[in-house]
C-alpha cells in the first residue's frame, strides 16, 4: 500500500518556492515547442566572425534577401533584362549619394547601401552630369581667365564634351572591370576573400564620382590655390569611400598584395581627378588668338625671306 501512495501525483506550487525549500532538488525544464529559444552566448571567436560578416556583407540576411527577391531572369537580349538594372527609386539614389558624401568609418558602402539592390541608374546619370559639368565649367573658366584681353577671341570647345565623356565612362567601367577580375582571381587563390559582383563595383565607382560634380562647378573660380584645395577635399572623400569599401575584401590576402591593391585604387582615382583639373582647367589656351594678329607676323616673315 505504501508503494501505491508513492506513485500518486502531487501538485507543486511555484518553482522558486520549491527550490528555496529544497536546494538540492534537481529540476527539468520542458519548453514549449512554439516558444522562441533565448540567445545563447557563442564561443569567444564568434563575435569576431559576426563582425567580419557584417563588414563584408556575408551574413545570412543577404542570402534571405536574395532568396526572397529571387525572380526568373530574362534573356540578356530582352528589354526586361536591362530594366532590372534601373529598378531603383529616388529615395535609394539620394540615400546612396548621401552615403558617398558622408562615408562612415568602419562601415561598408556596399553592405549599407548597395547589396540589397545594385543599380546602374545612379552611376549612369552621375557620369553624364559630371561630363557636362567638367566640359561647361572648363569653357567658362577659360573665358573668365582671358576676359578683358584684346587679343583673346572666345571659341566654344565642344570637343571637351567628347573627351570628358570618353575619360569618365572609360574610368567608370574599365577600372571596375579590372578590379572585379582581380578579386575573382584572388578569390581562387585565397578562399577567405569575398569578391563583389561586377555590378556592385560599378555602382560604388559611379556614386563615388558624385562629389566631383559640385567640385567641377567650383573649379570655375580662377584661383589655382582654391582649385587644388577643392580637388584635395573631393579626392579625400571619394577615395575614402573606395578604400573603406574594398579593404575588407582584400585584407585576408597577402599583406603586400592587399596594400598594393588599395594604393592602386587610390592612385587611379587621383590620376582621374588631377588629370581632369590639369587638362580642362589649367591647360594654356593658345589657339584662341584672332586671325588678324597672326597676319602681320606672316607678312613680316615673308618680307624677311624675300
Amino acid at each position: 500500500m505504501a508503494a501505491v501512495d508513492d506513485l500518486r501525483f502531487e501538485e507543486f506550487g511555484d518553482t522558486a518556492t520549491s527550490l528555496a525549500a529544497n536546494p538540492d532538488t534537481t529540476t527539468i525544464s520542458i519548453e514549449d515547442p512554439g516558444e522562441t529559444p533565448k540567445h545563447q552566448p557563442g564561443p569567444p571567436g564568434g563575435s569576431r566572425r559576426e563582425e567580419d560578416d557584417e563588414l563584408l556583407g556575408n551574413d545570412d540576411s543577404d542570402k534571405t534577401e536574395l532568396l526572397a527577391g529571387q525572380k526568373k531572369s530574362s534573356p540578356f537580349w530582352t528589354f526586361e533584362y536591362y530594366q532590372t538594372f534601373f529598378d531603383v527609386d529616388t529615395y535609394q539614389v539620394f540615400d546612396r549619394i548621401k552615403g558617398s558624401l558622408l562615408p562612415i568609418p568602419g562601415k561598408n558602402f556596399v553592405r549599407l547601401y548597395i547589396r540589397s539592390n545594385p543599380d546602374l541608374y545612379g552611376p549612369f546619370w552621375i557620369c553624364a552630369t559630371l561630363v557636362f559639368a567638367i566640359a561647361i565649367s572648363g569653357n567658362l573658366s577659360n573665358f573668365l581667365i582671358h576676359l578683358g584681353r584684346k587679343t583673346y577671341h572666345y571659341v566654344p570647345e565642344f570637343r571637351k564634351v567628347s573627351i570628358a565623356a570618353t575619360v569618365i565612362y572609360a574610368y567608370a567601367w574599365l577600372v571596375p572591370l579590372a578590379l572585379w577580375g582581380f578579386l575573382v582571381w584572388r578569390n581562387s587563390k585565397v578562399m577567405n576573400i569575398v569578391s563583389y559582383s561586377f555590378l556592385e563595383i560599378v555602382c560604388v565607382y559611379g556614386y563615388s564620382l558624385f562629389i566631383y560634380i559640385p567640385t567641377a562647378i567650383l573649379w570655375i573660380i580662377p584661383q589655382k590655390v582654391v582649385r587644388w584645395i577643392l580637388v584635395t577635399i573631393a579626392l579625400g572623400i571619394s577615395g575614402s569611400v573606395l578604400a573603406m569599401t574594398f579593404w575588407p575584401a582584400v585584407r585576408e590576402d597577402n599583406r603586400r598584395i592587399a596594400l598594393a591593391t588599395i594604393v592602386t585604387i587610390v592612385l587611379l582615382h587621383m590620376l582621374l581627378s588631377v588629370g581632369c583639373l590639369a587638362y580642362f582647367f589649367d591647360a594654356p589656351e593658345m589657339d584662341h588668338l584672332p586671325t588678324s594678329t597672326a597676319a602681320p607676323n606672316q607678312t613680316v616673315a615673308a618680307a624677311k625671306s624675300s
Side-chain angles (χ1 to χ4, degrees):
M1 204 56 195
V4 176
D5 293 338
D6 293 337
L7 296 176
R8 286 184 306 173
F9 292 98
E10 297 182 6
E11 296 182 0
F12 295 93
D14 188 10
T15 307
T17 306
S18 301
L19 291 176
N22 301 304
D24 298 332
T25 304
T26 302
T27 60
I28 300 176
S29 176
I30 302 177
E31 296 181 354
D32 187 1
E35 184 179 356
T36 303
K38 296 182 180 179
H39 176 72
Q40 298 293 333
S47 59
R48 173 63 179 173
R49 180 62 182 173
E50 291 176 1
E51 182 181 352
D52 291 343
D53 288 342
E54 181 181 357
L55 194 59
L56 291 171
N58 250 358
D59 56 356
D60 295 335
S61 62
D62 290 334
K63 298 178 182 178
T64 305
E65 291 175 359
L66 293 176
L67 292 175
Q70 188 176 8
K71 297 180 181 179
K72 185 179 179 180
S73 59
S74 303
F76 71 91
W77 60 81
T78 61
F79 178 77
E80 289 77 11
Y81 176 80
Y82 298 96
Q83 189 178 10
T84 58
F85 298 151
F86 296 85
D87 186 16
V88 65
D89 55 26
T90 306
Y91 173 78
Q92 288 178 314
V93 173
F94 284 161
D95 192 41
R96 294 171 182 184
I97 290 175
K98 182 181 66 175
S100 67
L101 295 176
L102 300 173
I104 303 175
K107 297 296 182 179
N108 192 302
F109 185 79
V110 173
R111 179 70 182 91
L112 290 178
Y113 304 101
I114 304 299
R115 177 143 292 182
S116 60
N117 183 27
D119 72 287
L120 293 180
Y121 179 85
F124 175 81
W125 286 111
I126 288 174
C127 291
T129 307
L130 180 59
V131 167
F132 286 100
I134 290 177
I136 295 174
S137 299
N139 277 277
L140 290 177
S141 174
N142 291 327
F143 174 76
L144 294 176
I145 290 175
H146 298 89
L147 184 63
R149 297 183 183 180
K150 295 181 180 181
T151 58
Y152 177 74
H153 177 68
Y154 174 72
V155 177
E157 295 181 290
F158 296 104
R159 61 184 176 85
K160 286 188 174 181
V161 178
S162 59
I163 296 175
T166 303
V167 172
I168 297 300
Y169 278 101
Y171 175 81
W173 283 91
L174 296 182
V175 174
L177 179 61
L179 180 58
W180 172 73
F182 174 78
L183 292 179
V184 171
W185 173 64
R186 294 308 301 172
N187 190 28
S188 63
K189 300 293 183 180
V190 183
M191 299 305 297
N192 291 333
I193 294 182
V194 176
S195 180
Y196 298 124
S197 68
F198 174 66
L199 186 58
E200 290 172 344
I201 298 177
V202 171
C203 203
V204 173
Y205 268 86
Y207 282 102
S208 68
L209 293 176
F210 180 83
I211 185 63
Y212 289 101
I213 296 177
T215 302
I217 297 175
L218 293 176
W219 278 345
I220 297 177
I221 302 174
Q223 297 292 333
K224 287 189 176 182
V225 177
V226 176
R227 289 176 178 178
W228 284 103
I229 292 175
L230 291 173
V231 74
T232 303
I233 295 174
L235 180 61
I237 294 175
S238 58
S240 62
V241 172
L242 296 177
M244 289 189 297
T245 299
F246 295 109
W247 171 249
V250 298
R251 66 179 179 183
E252 299 298 332
D253 201 346
N254 182 274
R255 194 72 175 179
R256 292 183 178 179
I257 296 178
L259 292 176
T261 303
I262 298 301
V263 170
T264 303
I265 291 173
V266 175
L267 286 179
L268 289 176
H269 206 62
M270 182 185 300
L271 180 63
L272 174 71
S273 57
V274 175
C276 289
L277 175 61
Y279 180 80
F280 293 99
F281 294 88
D282 290 342
E285 300 293 336
M286 302 300 296
D287 56 342
H288 293 301
L289 295 178
T291 55
S292 59
T293 60
N297 296 331
Q298 295 177 356
T299 304
V300 172
K304 289 182 179 180
S305 62
S306 60

